[in-house]
Amino acid sequence: MSLSCFDLGERMLSVDEALAAILGFASAPPGHATLPLAALVGRVLSEDIASPIDVPQNTNAAMDGIALAWPGGQGGDSQALPESWELVGESLAGHGYRGEVPKHAAVTITTGAPLPRGTDTVIMSEQLEDAAPDAAGARVTVTRPETVRVGQHVRQAGEDVPRGALALTAGTRLAAEHLGLLASLGVERARVSRRLKVAIFSTGDEVTAPGEALPMDGIFDANRFSLHGLLAALGVEVIDLGILADASQAMVAALRDAAGSADMVITSGGVSVGQADWIKPALAETGELGFWRIAMRPGRPLAFGRLGHERVPFFGLPGNPVAVMVTFLQFVQPLIRRLQGEHAWQPVRLTARAEAPLQSRCGRVDFLRGVYHADETGQLWVRSTGRQGSGILSSMVAANCLIEIAASSAGIEAGEAVTLQPFMHRS
Ligand code: AMP
Ligand code: MG
């Protein structure tokens, strides 16, 4: 079933329905850039990359020692390995041995050096009587030939990535290991989706920027800064539009401008139906409201829509700081990742046992702030951070995960299995 969020009216949606509707909204990634490797960390690849070479290029030694051809080849008998070997040369990393290796002769070899033609086995220095024999002409003795195995300590050409194999696929978010892998293929640039621009602003007459004097009825603006952090972790360029007062006409203008300069607009506060709640009327003038009631806690109310004639996605997040972070992680993050081209993304979910009973209500998904740990047997356990009010931002700081209690559950008993989502935005 495909749900269009604009067909959903104002009925209460399940978390899954809301997410499906939001993701169904995603359109093609908005452009690409080809950048040098060092600039790619955190970006999402928008091309498949096949390896132009075998990695490693040559079959090579995994240890320092001597390289030799096992008598009788792969089927050879390890008991039959001669103890004493004549050295005919050396193969060094970056300077391979190009000659022939006669039967019953060996070359000294260093880690990473190509195996000379015909050789198939490396005996490491520790298995030799003289760990550093002089190269040509010398003889070396293997201390315990019966412990040597045919083919040991050899890395085969192409064993990491064979030539022509797909090394990375489009949609991969690039981290350190991906950059290293691309470099090992000799790739110096790659095409990634262009950085998304996301405009954010806070709303509310009481909301005050940190650094200003706190008015008697004021509250400092937490949401813009937790949003900065969450967006930065996704590699997004943030357009910070500050704080808007609860005045509808200013909001309409701000939303319109934001839609003109950003790929997505996120606000917090002002989405309920209170007197100063302006989102609905403002959206009615500048866009379309998708839906705004989702069966979850915290996180109600939440608005999703399209803004301006650019029809950019719009999230009207709740005002309460915990609700902002929870709804961002559950709904905004998946859409951002989808727009960046990361199609297969799912939050990491683990199963843990509850240390103590956890409260939840049937009919809505409860996201509690939790702390999980592994006991000495490896079993995961999780407990609540304590008070769960959606204004208690210190609960997010105390937590290392969200505990996700399904809508079908009326509460979790001590020892019962429960799902958690570890905090990945803060590693
Ligand atoms: P609202 O949805 O506008 O009614 O806001 C719900 C609650 O969140 C109120 O207690 C607001 O004061 C609070 N709130 C709204 N915006 C912010 C913000 N940017 N930072 C911290 N608290 C906020
Ligand atoms: Mg408000």
Side-chain angles (χ1 to χ4, degrees):
M1 178 181 59
S2 140
L3 284 166
S4 157
C5 61
F6 300 104
D7 300 336
L8 296 172
E10 291 190 2
R11 77 180 167 85
M12 180 81 79
L13 300 181
S14 72
V15 168
D16 289 344
E17 282 177 318
L19 184 59
I22 287 167
L23 291 179
F25 180 86
S27 45
H32 310 277
T34 299
L35 297 174
L37 281 195
L40 290 182
V41 72
R43 304 294 291 268
V44 179
L45 198 59
S46 56
E47 59 177 342
D48 290 339
I49 296 194
S51 181
I53 57 166
D54 273 333
V55 182
Q57 178 177 210
N58 299 303
T59 297
N60 67 85
M63 303 287 270
D64 290 350
I66 61 170
L68 51 83
W70 192 274
Q74 289 296 318
D77 173 6
S78 67
Q79 304 303 325
L81 189 79
E83 250 186 30
S84 172
W85 294 79
E86 183 196 349
L87 295 178
V88 294
E90 58 185 13
S91 180
L92 307 177
H95 306 277
Y97 178 84
R98 306 274 174 246
E100 291 294 326
V101 181
K103 224 175 162 190
H104 297 308
V107 294
T108 54
I109 195 160
T110 58
T111 303
L115 251 68
R117 198 162 354 110
T119 64
D120 55 20
T121 301
V122 170
I123 302 182
M124 58 183 175
S125 308
E126 291 84 341
Q127 290 178 301
L128 302 176
E129 240 159 48
D130 177 0
D134 272 341
R139 289 194 79 78
V140 284
T141 303
V142 180
T143 37
R144 292 173 54 211
E146 70 282 5
T147 64
V148 178
R149 297 286 168 263
V150 61
Q152 71 176 22
H153 307 317
V154 172
R155 306 159 173 160
Q156 299 298 327
E159 73 172 21
D160 187 358
V161 189
R163 179 198 300 265
L166 206 53
L168 293 177
T169 51
T172 303
R173 187 175 293 270
L174 300 171
E177 57 274 27
H178 304 104
L179 303 196
L181 187 73
L182 288 173
S184 75
L185 312 179
V187 171
E188 57 161 354
R189 305 168 81 75
R191 199 166 65 120
V192 290
S193 56
R194 119 171 130 67
R195 283 185 86 184
L196 280 188
K197 282 192 241 169
V198 176
I200 57 173
F201 55 87
S202 297
T203 72
D205 290 348
E206 78 284 27
V207 178
T208 307
E212 288 179 10
L214 188 64
M216 268 225 299
D217 301 329
I219 176 174
F220 283 124
D221 181 3
N223 294 342
R224 226 163 9 109
F225 298 93
S226 42
L227 286 174
H228 261 286
L230 290 164
L231 290 165
L234 290 171
V236 163
E237 183 182 331
V238 178
I239 303 173
D240 186 340
L241 299 176
I243 303 167
L244 292 189
D246 288 313
S248 189
Q249 272 323 301
M251 299 289 181
V252 173
L255 287 173
R256 219 170 250 153
D257 289 353
S261 59
D263 302 302
M264 180 184 289
V265 180
I266 304 173
T267 66
S268 66
V271 258
S272 30
V273 282
Q275 255 191 328
D277 292 328
W278 51 271
I279 282 282
K280 279 192 80 178
L283 270 173
E285 275 193 51
T286 61
E288 289 175 87
L289 183 66
F291 54 80
W292 61 310
R293 281 153 45 86
I294 301 172
M296 66 187 286
R297 187 176 144 134
R300 273 163 60 198
L302 179 137
F304 178 69
R306 291 169 173 159
L307 218 53
H309 49 82
E310 300 83 0
R311 300 166 74 75
V312 304
F314 165 78
F315 284 95
L317 303 184
N320 280 304
V322 175
V324 165
M325 293 198 73
V326 170
T327 50
F328 184 97
L329 292 170
Q330 301 308 311
F331 300 115
V332 184
Q333 160 167 243
L335 181 58
I336 287 179
R337 289 180 183 270
R338 181 68 67 98
L339 294 176
Q340 288 171 325
E342 198 182 4
H343 291 286
W345 186 83
Q346 290 271 335
V348 172
R349 288 189 165 91
L350 303 174
T351 302
R353 290 181 188 283
E355 288 178 26
L358 297 170
Q359 281 186 3
S360 74
R361 193 186 294 166
C362 226
R364 68 173 190 217
V365 180
D366 282 84
F367 292 96
L368 308 185
R369 272 70 70 213
V371 180
Y372 74 100
H373 76 282
D375 68 17
E376 55 292 346
T377 70
Q379 171 67 50
L380 296 183
W381 292 92
V382 69
R383 63 183 157 78
S384 152
T385 56
R387 285 193 302 142
Q388 294 287 319
S390 61
I392 301 181
L393 198 47
S394 54
S395 70
M396 284 297 288
V397 173
N400 63 7
C401 67
L402 289 178
I403 305 170
E404 181 183 10
I405 305 180
S408 57
S409 168
I412 300 290
E413 288 167 28
E416 205 179 324
V418 69
T419 300
L420 60 87
Q421 297 182 18
F423 284 165
M424 307 300 280
H425 61 276
R426 229 257 182 149
S427 32

